[in-house]
Amino acid sequence: MEISISDELSSIINFSREEAMRTGSYGIAPDHLFLGIIRHRENTAVDALRGTMTDIDEMKQFIDEKIFTNEHIPYSDIDKVSFSRGTQNVLSYTILEATKVRSSSASAQHMLLALCRVGGSYGSSYLHDLGTDYGHIYRYLDKNDMLDRDSADRN
């Protein structure tokens, strides 16, 4: 089965690049993916975070406090902003998560699962401190029939 990238996930990745620039980084790190998910707002990952009692605004502020620098990346340098090795791993796991649930396209919920599985970011630490981990998110998504939902079904 060939997995495509949903329009939703493509938007989140674009937001993640902008978040990296906003926070002063030429590397898109996993925390920028979390910020991209949060910035997008209308996606299954945010629904799952809210459903597991995560305060989205507090999570964003926590990540920002940890990664924000006073250096701003000019928009003219957007082509120089690239994925870190950690983010490349998360993106690979995102595809694996979509494949695992036999979804035809990778979307926000698959990225959230990948971010929780890979760990090592401030966002995943924040969730872990709340008692939210990969298993917790996966069970929530499964229980609420949100694992195999195509992005087209959400529009």
Side-chain angles (χ1 to χ4, degrees):
M1 175 193 288
E2 189 169 319
I3 304 291
S4 63
I5 302 296
S6 69
D7 290 342
E8 171 186 87
L9 189 57
S10 182
S11 293
I12 289 168
I13 291 168
N14 286 332
F15 284 152
S16 299
R17 180 181 306 275
E18 292 173 9
E19 289 297 312
M21 294 173 70
R22 181 184 65 81
T23 60
S25 177
Y26 280 96
I28 303 167
D31 282 311
H32 298 117
L33 298 176
F34 272 116
L35 292 174
I37 287 170
I38 292 168
R39 182 171 161 193
H40 186 271
R41 290 277 179 184
E42 298 299 321
N43 60 68
T44 307
V46 168
D47 294 345
L49 290 170
R50 285 188 180 124
T52 56
M53 303 305 165
T54 303
D55 183 324
I56 303 299
D57 295 324
E58 185 179 281
M59 183 178 184
K60 179 192 181 307
Q61 183 178 354
F62 177 82
I63 295 169
D64 271 348
E65 287 173 358
K66 301 292 186 187
I67 67 171
F68 193 82
T69 68
N70 288 328
E71 186 175 324
H72 176 74
I73 307 297
Y75 193 77
S76 59
D77 281 358
I78 194 166
D79 292 338
K80 296 177 184 174
V81 178
S82 61
F83 297 124
S84 70
R85 184 175 306 270
T87 295
Q88 291 172 12
N89 289 338
V90 170
L91 295 173
S92 294
Y93 275 105
T94 300
I95 300 300
L96 289 174
E97 290 295 335
T99 302
K100 177 178 165 182
V101 297
R102 297 191 172 124
S103 180
S104 61
S105 64
S107 204
Q109 67 271 29
H110 306 119
M111 179 177 278
L112 177 60
L113 287 168
L115 284 161
C116 290
R117 180 178 290 277
V118 171
S121 64
Y122 292 112
S124 61
S125 295
Y126 178 86
L127 292 174
H128 185 265
D129 289 349
L130 294 176
T132 303
D133 60 8
Y134 174 89
H136 193 206
I137 295 288
Y138 188 92
R139 285 187 299 277
Y140 180 86
L141 290 167
D142 189 33
K143 177 182 166 191
N144 292 284
D145 198 27
M146 299 163 75
L147 277 172
D148 199 16
R149 185 187 280 177
D150 262 335
S151 61
D153 294 338
R154 293 190 49 79
N155 297 332

